[in-house]
Amino acid sequence: MTKTFLKELEEEALTTRKMLAIVPADKFDWQPHPKSMTVKTLAAHIAELPTWVTLAVTTEELDFSKTPYEKQDINSNEELMAFFEASLADGRSHLAKANEQLLSEEWTLRNGEQIYMKSSKAEVVRHAYSQIIHHRAQLGVFLRLLDIPIPASYGSSADDISF
């Protein structure tokens, strides 16, 4: 399972890298709707998501009442890319040390007594990957609305016919 997860992490990193690389810093504060995240918040969240792999394999839970969420302050595309690469390296290195037994252990996401999710650590890794894909798609919509050409991902895009 670890080898499969590592391979998938690397494959998703290729597409994530292409998407984050085109995020313009001059549009960091833009949002398509008042309920939407800003481009900066969304891009930084995508960049940090590989660290959820680390959380899954090195902890038994995340309790927001004890560890409040802290946004990474990103002020340029270079900082965004460096943050993503550091998060990716962190997730990759911890995942490489995992084994089947560890990945089968339970992990909990909570806020004090309120439990959001109880899953195996393997399911949390899978969930982190799904979150990367989900938020990356959101970012694609944001960039499209800003008239920024979208790179190919699982196939070509309307702007990039490479595969």
Side-chain angles (χ1 to χ4, degrees):
M1 192 180 300
T2 301
K3 286 181 185 177
T4 300
F5 279 152
L6 283 166
K7 181 180 180 208
E8 187 175 3
L9 182 63
E10 295 307 321
E11 290 170 354
E12 292 304 327
L14 295 173
T15 303
T16 302
R17 203 174 276 119
K18 287 192 293 187
M19 289 294 288
L20 293 178
I22 62 172
V23 173
D26 66 332
K27 300 295 183 189
F28 272 4
D29 294 329
W30 185 84
Q31 61 192 116
H33 187 275
K35 291 183 179 181
S36 298
M37 288 184 259
T38 64
V39 168
K40 178 180 177 176
T41 299
L42 180 57
H45 182 52
I46 294 166
E48 78 186 346
L49 281 167
T51 64
W52 278 73
V53 174
T54 302
L55 281 171
V57 299
T58 63
T59 67
E60 294 178 6
E61 73 174 16
L62 173 58
D63 185 346
F64 287 121
S65 72
K66 295 177 183 172
T67 310
Y69 177 71
E70 293 182 27
K71 290 182 188 178
Q72 179 76 18
D73 189 29
I74 302 291
N75 295 301
S76 68
N77 187 274
E78 293 78 15
E79 288 179 15
L80 175 65
M81 295 305 294
F83 181 46
F84 172 67
E85 294 301 337
S87 298
L88 179 62
D90 186 63
R92 180 191 303 121
S93 68
H94 287 93
L95 182 58
K97 299 173 194 170
N99 59 43
E100 299 292 320
Q101 181 178 347
L102 177 76
L103 291 171
S104 68
E105 294 174 7
E106 186 175 83
W107 191 86
T108 304
L109 179 63
R110 68 172 64 237
N111 188 5
E113 296 301 314
Q114 183 179 10
I115 295 175
Y116 298 126
M117 178 174 80
K118 274 192 177 200
S119 304
S120 71
K121 292 181 177 206
E123 290 169 323
V124 176
V125 170
R126 164 90 336 260
H127 184 80
Y129 292 0
S130 296
Q131 286 292 304
I132 292 167
I133 295 163
H134 163 74
H135 289 301
R136 197 175 63 213
Q138 283 181 305
L139 181 61
V141 171
F142 284 29
L143 297 174
R144 170 68 69 218
L145 292 170
L146 291 168
D147 204 26
I148 296 169
I150 307 302
S153 56
Y154 300 113
S156 60
S157 76
D159 304 304
D160 182 356
I161 59 170
S162 66
F163 204 82

